[in-house]
Amino acid sequence: MNKVLGVGSTKPIKDELAVRLGLYEAFVLQQVHYWLLQSKHEIDGRRWVYNTYADWNKQLPFMSLSTVKRAFLKLEKKGILITGCFNKFLIDKTKWYTINYDVLDKMNLLTEEDIAVLSHVSSEPAEHFNMGKCTNLID
């Protein structure tokens, strides 16, 4: 079986990923994966990224805002996306995201190259954030 999560790419999607997760979910997952590889926000041994749905929608303009939101929520429900709230200000409810690569590995969706890249943990100190409830506002 060919594994499909390409390291470093942002929009090219493999057929198997789209078939197994859904086309929109595959695009969202690939975009989050791309930004996680760039992220300097490491918390509890995981890299995290954050955006509102509107900001994600700007990166995925071929999807409607409601489709972006649905894709994120489906990936969260499947346990592929993990969310948190690490904002510096408690009033900021923007969701933070990381990928549960263990779930993808169990689904045989990671290549050996993916695993090698993902096993590298940044040696930079993590920033400290407030924990609170996040909602990921639409605008």
Side-chain angles (χ1 to χ4, degrees):
M1 175 187 266
N2 187 17
K3 298 183 183 186
V4 296
L5 189 61
V7 174
S9 60
T10 152
K11 294 218 174 65
I13 301 298
K14 300 280 186 171
D15 293 343
E16 186 178 349
L17 190 61
V19 167
R20 300 216 12 228
L21 298 179
L23 181 61
Y24 298 126
E25 291 78 8
F27 276 113
V28 164
L29 183 65
Q30 192 66 48
Q31 196 67 12
V32 173
H33 173 67
Y34 170 80
W35 285 113
L36 285 173
L37 293 177
Q38 317 296 320
S39 179
K40 302 278 189 222
H41 302 294
E42 188 177 314
I43 302 162
D44 295 331
R46 293 182 179 269
R47 290 184 183 184
W48 294 80
V49 294
Y50 59 90
N51 263 325
T52 64
Y53 292 127
D55 289 333
W56 288 114
N57 187 223
K58 290 176 188 172
Q59 297 179 40
L60 302 164
F62 51 89
M63 297 167 60
S64 71
L65 183 59
S66 60
T67 300
V68 169
K69 182 177 180 180
R70 261 192 318 275
F72 269 92
L73 294 174
K74 284 181 184 178
L75 290 169
E76 287 176 47
K77 186 175 181 178
K78 290 180 181 185
I80 295 169
L81 282 184
I82 301 170
T83 62
C85 192
F86 308 108
N87 302 305
K88 292 184 180 191
F89 301 104
L90 292 176
I91 196 166
D92 184 354
K93 303 298 182 192
T94 302
K95 274 188 186 178
W96 289 58
Y97 299 92
T98 193
I99 295 174
N100 188 340
Y101 290 103
D102 292 335
V103 170
L104 293 178
D105 193 28
K106 287 177 186 171
M107 296 173 73
N108 292 318
L109 293 174
L110 295 180
T111 65
E112 289 181 20
E113 183 182 1
D114 292 329
I115 293 167
V117 168
L118 297 170
S119 67
H120 171 66
V121 178
S122 171
S123 60
E124 296 178 24
E127 296 181 42
H128 294 283
F129 300 92
N130 293 321
M131 291 292 291
K133 185 176 179 186
C134 288
T135 58
N136 199 341
L137 304 174
I138 289 182
D139 45 37

